[in-house]
């Protein structure tokens, strides 16, 4: 028993002495090794940079209707404030002083529209003929170039698509002209047999104001479609530009409503002064497909997407070592050493930095670069007692366990 105790004590003294020697000798690996206890994996995130502003919901358009005494005597309004109107809805009526002249004018405008409609019909017929000729040509021959390739099908497909689009546009134009003709026919019908005329709305929307004193504009109509307006400070102008995607939200909305920044004024809303910051009006057009009912006049929070990177490789800002000209990170490489790498940074947001170059998602990076003693050298970490379980040793072969012990002794 005493002999066994003496052997174990001697082995312990040799182990401690050997490690002290290895640690304290010149150019020792222990001296050059870094104590790294915290690592972080390169993540994969969507980074979105936004600029916030306040806004208010207003009608997209405001249409004003004027009355001219020369047209005739005013008879009365046919709408009141708050009424919904469509294109063609009668707004007010008046008696004409020149009834025959007005009727002739209406007939002339209707005749011009009918001529325009007939011209569009002829254009549609010509396009339809060209379409049939193109289709028959494409099925008869196929020119082949010297290298065996052919581009005829591509050019014919492009021509057919172009003709189809032109026919579609002409049909839409004809529909608009026919609607105008119908409007004039209604005006002429209501005019005949009477000396009174009606002024119809030229837009759809809601009657905002009726001026019963007949001061122009006598009727103001606002569109049902909303938009958002607000102001950017002059400091914000360098971050925003027209066409950027926008989200609008408020306590009165369920979720966010998407839109587009469509206008930024190039002159401030008030006269500039050296004593105060300037603010520049902006407008946001909301997406038509939104099902949210936005209350006009309500105040909203505006978030402008100024920059966005999807599926970006990211690391915490504190894991980056900043040099005089470049930035670096320390990566655990395949040989088990701490490798210093120069990186190329992208978008920085919320303590995260996008890595354009330097590491890929999943690679382990030293969380505190100031703990690295020397690059491209081994490291050691705090022993994890929880991993020293019987099961761990049972799962490993004796040869592997012996190998790890020897590495611990001599490295």
């Amino acid at each position: 028993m005493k002999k066994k105790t003496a052997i174990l004590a001697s082995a312990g003294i040799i182990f401690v002495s050997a490690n002290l020697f290895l640690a304290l000798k010149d150019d020792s690996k222990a001296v050059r090794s870094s104590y790294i206890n915290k690592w972080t994996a390169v993540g994969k995130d969507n980074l979105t940079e936004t600029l916030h502003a306040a806004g208010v919901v207003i009608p997209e358009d405001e249409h004003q209707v004027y009355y001219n005494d020369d047209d005739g005597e005013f008879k009365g309004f046919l709408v009141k404030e708050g009424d919904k109107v469509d294109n063609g809805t009668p707004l007010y009526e008046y008696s004409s002083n020149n009834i025959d002249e007005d009727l002739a004018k209406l007939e002339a405008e209707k005749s011009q529209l009918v001529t325009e409609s007939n011209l569009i019909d002829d254009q549609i017929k010509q396009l339809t003929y060209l379409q049939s000729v193109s289709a028959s040509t494409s099925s008869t021959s196929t020119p082949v170039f010297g290298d065996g390739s052919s581009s005829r099908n591509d050019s014919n497909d492009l021509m057919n698509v172009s003709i189809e689009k032109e026919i579609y546009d002409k049909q839409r134009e004809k529909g608009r002209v026919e609607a105008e003709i119908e409007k004039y026919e209604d005006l002429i019908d209501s005019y005949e047999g009477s000396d009174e005329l009606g002024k119809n709305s030229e837009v759809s929307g809601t009657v905002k104001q009726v001026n019963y004193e007949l001061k122009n504009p006598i009727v103001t109509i606002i569109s049902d479609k909303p938009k958002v307006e607000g102001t950017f400070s002059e400091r914000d102008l360098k971050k925003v530009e027209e066409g950027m995607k926008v989200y609008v939200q408020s306590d009165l909305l369920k979720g966010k409503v998407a839109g587009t920044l469509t206008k930024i004024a190039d002159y401030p809303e008030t006269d500039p002064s050296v004593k105060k910051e300037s603010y520049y009006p902006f407008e946001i057009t909301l997406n038509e497909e939104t099902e949210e009912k936005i209350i006009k006049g309500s105040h909203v929070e505006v978030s402008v997407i100024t920059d966005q990177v999807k599926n970006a490789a990211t690391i915490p800002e504190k894991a980056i070592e900043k040099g005089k000209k470049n930035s670096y990170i320390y990566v655990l490489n395949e040989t088990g050493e701490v490798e210093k790498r120069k990186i190329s940074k992208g978008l920085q947001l919320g303590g995260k930095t996008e890595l354009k170059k330097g590491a890929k998602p999943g690679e382990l990076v030293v969380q505190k670069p100031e703990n690295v003693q020397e690059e491209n050298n081994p490291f050691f970490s705090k022993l994890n007692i929880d991993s020293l379980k019987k099961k761990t040793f049972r799962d490993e072969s004796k040869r592997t366990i012996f190998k790890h012990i020897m590495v611990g002794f001599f490295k």
Side-chain angles (χ1 to χ4, degrees), residues 60-111:
E60 187 176 66
D61 295 307
E62 187 169 291
H63 182 73
Q64 297 173 328
V65 181
Y66 292 83
Y67 170 67
N68 188 349
D69 292 337
D70 296 337
D71 292 339
E73 182 184 357
F74 186 84
K75 290 295 184 180
F77 288 105
L78 301 175
V79 294
K80 61 182 182 298
E81 293 178 0
D83 282 354
K84 296 283 186 180
V85 296
D86 295 321
N87 189 345
T89 300
L91 300 175
Y92 65 88
E93 56 185 0
Y94 62 98
S95 61
S96 173
N97 295 330
N98 305 295
I99 188 167
D100 293 336
E101 183 181 336
D102 290 342
L103 184 58
K105 185 179 179 182
L106 291 174
E107 291 284 4
E109 290 176 345
K110 175 192 168 185
S111 177

Side-chain angles (χ1 to χ4, degrees), residues 367-396:
Q367 200 172 73
K368 294 182 178 180
E370 62 270 21
N371 291 341
V372 177
Q373 298 295 328
E374 192 170 343
E375 60 185 280
N376 299 324
N377 266 293
F379 68 93
F380 60 95
S381 296
K382 182 179 179 181
L383 177 64
N384 185 1
I385 301 298
D386 293 338
S387 64
L388 297 178
K389 297 178 180 178
K390 291 183 179 179
K391 183 177 182 306
T392 303
F393 293 99
R394 283 201 302 268
D395 293 341
E396 297 291 342

Side-chain angles (χ1 to χ4, degrees), residues 130-148:
L130 285 176
Q131 189 179 38
S132 63
V133 171
S134 176
S136 62
T137 303
S138 64
S139 61
T140 53
S141 62
T142 304
V144 178
F145 297 117
D147 60 357

